[in-house]
Amino acid sequence: MYPNLYYVFKDFFGIEWNFLHFVNSFGFFVALAFIICSVVLAKELRRKGKEGLLGPVEEKVMVGKPASTTELATNFGLGFLLGYKILGLFMTKGSMVNPQEYIFSSQGNLLAGIGLGAVFAFIKWREKNRQKLATPETRTIRVWPHDRVGEITMIAIIFGLLGAKLFDTFENWDSFLKDPSSIFSMSGLTFYGGLICAGIALWWYTRKHQIPFLHFIDVMAPVMMLAYGLGRIGCQVSGDGDWGIYNAAFKTTANGGILPANLSEFQATVAQQADFFAHNSTHHAFFPKPGFLSFLPDWFFAYDFPHNVNEAGVPLAGCTGKYCNHLPVPVFPTSLYEIIMGLMLFGLIWAVRKRFKVPGVLFGIYLILNGLERFFIEKIRVNVKMNFLGMQITQAELISFLMIIGGIVMIVLLKRRYQEGKTVEKTS
């Protein structure tokens, strides 16, 4: 496991750059997912535009004005924040043992902040000065949906992260009450919370800018499936706790290896590691490696997540310092399974995306596929269960079930409306 990029560079290249402690592996892959998905989003929006399904909107803008005080102050503030924190991080001596504490503390470099703030303000002033006219004028421009990818991505990032953290907080309310500062941590994010909150925000945004919502969500269907698969890479690489129940058919060695085992060995480990299991579930399954999958490594079926970012488990032999724990019994690496399934489902949706003539149907298919994938993976995942109508289910199971039903209802209603529209056209 690589909690942050410092350990990646140290392991692969033998380089120890302290500032890389700041770049958490999970956050890095989430950022990478947003970048890749924004490219795919732009490509699909352009395709829809060429097909005449998405059109431009005319907007009036004022051109030729010099930079205002507000614009200069805003750019200076952004530059100051980045310089004070990010450049300040590069100038910090010693190892950054807790990047979150650094970000939310008053630590930073004042001169770096002022310097970068001045640079940002100068760039804005020069940009506006080059466009300055003797008499500023109002012009009408045409803005296509693919021109708004930057804004769409930012809305998805902001509301996605807020929703993911909010839903995770509700799901783990007792843990939040014990440690309210955990809300500032990047670990513990609920995908469906991000999906719901970002979806509401983007619905409002598309209405505001007159983008047909059904065509827009059809574009988002493969993009969100891709984002899901790529984002899970961060979960797997960092070992953020998004793993499955114990697989009692395997055991963990003291230095982090995985070996076949029997059920009695699992029970013996539970007894030996009483302190750990006193605060952790013993929920498990016994699933040896099937013969027809013998070519796969043992860790595909059971993994102990050594050096995980949560520092969960028991100490690794011969390891000192931070991130020196691993799980005493290996678990199903569900994040790995979701990477595979997420990318495969993306490929499927991408392959069939041009075949559906009814707007919104592709998104309905996405809801069904994503819901089915998550519903079944929850059967072997570690998650907090809640009492719902007398059933013990997880938040994700409930939401995924509603997504499946919602997707089916959506497809039926949209196809019915489409056929009724065709009938009216024929009779008129």
Side-chain angles (χ1 to χ4, degrees), residues 298-309:
D298 288 347
W299 53 258
F300 188 88
F301 303 92
Y303 194 50
D304 64 331
F305 287 91
H307 310 287
N308 64 82
V309 70

Side-chain angles (χ1 to χ4, degrees), residues 210-221:
Q210 302 174 43
I211 301 173
F213 187 66
L214 290 178
H215 284 297
F216 177 76
I217 58 177
D218 275 348
V219 169
M220 291 299 294

Side-chain angles (χ1 to χ4, degrees), residues 42-58:
K43 176 181 174 65
E44 275 298 276
L45 289 174
R46 283 193 180 93
R47 181 182 69 83
K48 288 273 190 178
K50 289 179 181 178
E51 293 177 357
L53 301 173
L54 295 175
V57 174
E58 293 187 345

Side-chain angles (χ1 to χ4, degrees), residues 58-72:
E58 293 187 345
E59 293 186 356
K60 293 182 178 181
V61 296
M62 179 67 71
V63 297
K65 291 177 66 176
S68 67
T69 303
T70 301
E71 290 174 322
L72 293 176

